[in-house]
Amino acid sequence: MKQTPYYVFDTDEFAKRAAMIKAALDCKGGRKIPLCFSIKANPFLLHRLPDELDRVEVCSPGELEICIALGIKPESIIYSGVMKEECDIRRAVEYGAGILTCESIRHAKLISEVVADITTETDLKNDNGSDSSKKDDIKKDDCETVKVILRLTSGNQFGMSIDDIEYIISHPNEFKGLSVIGLHYYSGTQKTLRKINKDLEKIDSALATLKEKYDFQPELVEYGPGLCVEYFEDDWEAKEQAALDEAAEVLKQFAVKYPLGIEMGRFLAASCGKYYTKVMDLKSTGDANYAILDGGIHHLNYYGQRMAMQVPPIRVYADGYEVCENNGENSKIKGVAGPVGNVENIEKTGNNMDYTLCGSLCTVADVLVREVTLPKLEPGDVLKFGHCGAYSVTEAPALFLSRQMPAIYAYSKDNGYECLREHIPAAGINLAKKVQ
């Protein structure tokens, strides 16, 4: 068994989800709705992107550097993010990012200035001269252009008002180098169909205004529907498929009117992740049985997990056996624990107990599950948590208390298990330089 704690991300499952979403969004008459993966959900899935994904959304300079290091096609990148500086924009433009988002008028100005500077530098280089006096002779009118989409706010710090969007569109001479091709809109995650319909109504209203006033017709309307992931339901696959099919109908209707693009993170990636953590200690105090694990809340983060009351998918591995999921039965499946070996020959047993599953952190908040019925645990048993392919690996407070950061593996039928990252000691990251 591999050293715990660690994640395993199933790239076959990731590709299956992408194919499922693309199939649901398939429009009659040959119209295609491009699908974009928001990599903040899980950048470790970038190394084996399925063909069904047309674009990736990058929301920070660090995520852009990951894409560059992995050789992600620059034309597939939408460079987003609420905070962009000149150096960030330059890096994206020079790499050839296909589309940049504007979250403010300042973003539009910065992009325009960067494009003008790059054009000037290119022209000077082509002139084979280093005479800086020539710089003033190169007109901004001759700038190359960068495709941008303007983000419409949903009522928070992201994006801008329709007034600011109108200003950018109506003052092209102030923003040379920008080719405004459309709008960007995202209003949150775990949304109902009712909320999606309200989003689309808002986008439609904004585009109608821009059409009427400026004859603006978008080439792309990039929208994140934020479909619900059913972390704690036994029939999660059926419920997610139903929600997707329901949303797809209204999205396809919208796509008849506008060139729609869909971006997803959580809904694409959640089901492909598993997290393995070992039972290190067991104790009973009063009416509670506690299992102390070598992982914890600094590695696992389930959206909507209120006070650890909901129970995510869990399997137990012990002595070369896999014990069935927490469904009230207690089954042993012969095999090898962890991301190796095959599973065979089911044998039923009894002896279930109720447990509170706690992590390794010195805080009372480190409770993964408040109460769950599992086969009787022993120190050394391994718990596998499911549905953690989105955000856990990047959003959980991994550096808290300087515990070791988990290893990360990818799995596919064709490539087997691949180590993407070894365990990382957090102490060195949290260690201040010695002051003389």
Side-chain angles (χ1 to χ4, degrees):
M1 185 192 303
K2 298 185 183 298
Q3 178 189 348
T4 55
Y6 59 85
Y7 301 95
V8 175
F9 299 125
D10 187 329
T11 55
D12 290 341
E13 170 66 17
F14 186 49
K16 176 184 171 184
R17 292 287 286 192
M20 178 184 79
I21 295 165
K22 287 287 278 190
L25 293 173
D26 187 27
C27 298
K28 294 179 181 179
R31 179 187 291 269
K32 300 294 183 183
I33 299 178
L35 182 59
C36 176
F37 175 48
S38 298
I39 73 168
K40 58 179 174 287
N42 191 339
F44 289 97
L45 294 171
L46 276 173
H47 81 298
R48 295 202 184 280
L49 287 174
D51 293 338
E52 288 81 3
L53 293 177
D54 303 283
R55 300 187 178 109
V56 294
E57 185 204 20
V58 173
C59 289
S60 72
E63 287 187 346
L64 180 62
E65 292 305 319
I66 292 172
C67 288
I68 292 172
L70 293 175
I72 300 300
K73 294 178 181 178
E75 63 271 19
S76 71
I77 292 174
I78 297 179
Y79 185 62
S80 187
V82 68
M83 206 288 286
K84 297 183 182 74
E85 288 302 306
E86 182 179 343
C87 58
D88 310 325
I89 294 167
R90 172 177 280 269
R91 182 68 163 151
V93 172
E94 289 181 337
Y95 185 60
I99 299 171
L100 275 67
T101 69
C102 285
E103 296 256 0
S104 66
I105 290 177
R106 180 175 183 269
H107 275 186
K109 289 179 178 178
L110 283 175
I111 295 171
S112 178
E113 291 168 2
V114 167
V115 172
D117 286 346
I118 291 175
T119 301
T120 298
E121 292 162 7
T122 301
D123 288 346
L124 286 174
K125 184 177 180 180
N126 290 340
D127 282 346
N128 295 317
S130 57
D131 184 1
S132 60
S133 64
K134 289 186 178 181
K135 186 173 182 177
D136 295 331
D137 296 332
I138 298 172
K139 298 179 180 179
K140 272 193 172 183
D141 292 350
D142 300 326
C143 282
E144 298 293 330
T145 60
V146 171
K147 291 181 179 180
V148 301
I149 50 179
L150 309 180
R151 182 164 182 177
L152 176 65
T153 186
S154 62
N156 50 34
Q157 74 269 37
F158 299 101
M160 50 187 151
S161 67
I162 187 63
D163 292 338
D164 286 351
I165 287 174
E166 286 188 43
Y167 185 86
I168 293 172
I169 289 175
S170 61
H171 292 76
N173 289 334
E174 288 188 29
F175 307 103
K176 293 185 185 300
L178 271 66
S179 174
V180 179
I181 66 167
L183 296 186
H184 184 211
Y185 191 81
Y186 177 76
S187 65
T189 189
Q190 300 291 84
K191 287 188 291 195
T192 62
L193 182 63
R194 180 173 175 272
K195 176 58 177 169
I196 291 171
N197 275 315
K198 288 183 114 177
D199 286 349
L200 297 179
E201 288 172 7
K202 183 172 181 178
I203 299 169
D204 185 41
S205 176
L207 289 169
T209 297
L210 298 177
K211 170 66 176 173
E212 180 182 354
K213 289 186 176 181
Y214 312 106
D215 197 29
F216 177 78
Q217 299 192 49
E219 298 174 32
L220 174 65
V221 179
E222 185 74 4
Y223 173 60
L227 290 177
C228 283
V229 170
E230 301 291 349
Y231 286 113
F232 313 112
E233 303 292 337
D234 291 337
D235 57 346
W236 62 271
E237 288 180 290
K239 286 187 174 181
E240 289 182 6
Q241 181 71 65
L244 173 62
D245 292 341
E246 192 177 44
E249 289 306 309
V250 299
L251 294 171
K252 287 188 286 188
Q253 291 173 22
F254 190 84
V256 172
K257 190 172 182 180
Y258 300 109
L260 180 65
I262 294 297
E263 65 183 42
M264 291 183 174
R266 188 185 307 276
F267 196 79
L268 261 169
S271 64
C272 79
K274 305 291 186 290
Y275 172 73
Y276 294 78
T277 178
K278 186 183 296 184
V279 177
M280 304 303 293
D281 200 359
L282 294 159
K283 54 188 173 183
S284 298
T285 59
D287 295 331
N289 300 313
Y290 292 98
I292 308 299
L293 313 176
D294 64 357
I297 60 171
H298 54 317
H299 301 157
L300 271 183
N301 178 38
Y302 289 105
Y303 190 95
Q305 169 73 315
R306 294 181 297 274
M307 300 181 68
M309 297 302 292
Q310 291 91 340
V311 180
I314 302 173
R315 285 184 181 267
V316 181
Y317 295 82
D319 298 327
Y321 293 88
E322 180 184 354
V323 185
C324 80
E325 297 190 35
N326 49 296
N327 57 7
E329 297 180 356
N330 183 1
S331 304
K332 284 190 174 182
I333 305 174
K334 292 181 180 179
V336 182
V340 289
N342 297 314
V343 173
E344 53 190 35
N345 297 331
I346 298 176
E347 298 176 0
K348 297 238 176 146
T349 65
N351 205 21
N352 288 342
M353 293 182 65
D354 291 337
Y355 289 97
T356 298
L357 305 179
C358 301
S360 59
L361 303 179
C362 290
T363 169
V364 293
D366 194 8
V367 180
L368 293 174
V369 179
R370 186 68 56 184
E371 184 176 343
V372 60
T373 301
L374 294 173
K376 185 177 180 181
L377 299 174
E378 300 291 342
D381 291 351
V382 172
L383 304 188
K384 180 182 76 175
F385 288 80
H387 259 66
C388 57
Y391 292 104
S392 279
V393 69
T394 52
E395 200 172 63
L399 295 179
F400 186 46
L401 279 168
S402 300
R403 285 282 185 179
Q404 182 172 249
M405 296 172 69
I408 296 172
Y409 298 88
Y411 170 79
S412 67
K413 183 177 179 180
D414 290 341
N415 299 287
Y417 289 90
E418 304 170 277
C419 184
L420 304 183
R421 188 184 79 185
E422 301 284 358
H423 289 88
I424 298 176
I429 300 173
N430 289 341
L431 179 65
K433 287 184 179 180
K434 188 173 181 180
V435 179
Q436 297 295 331

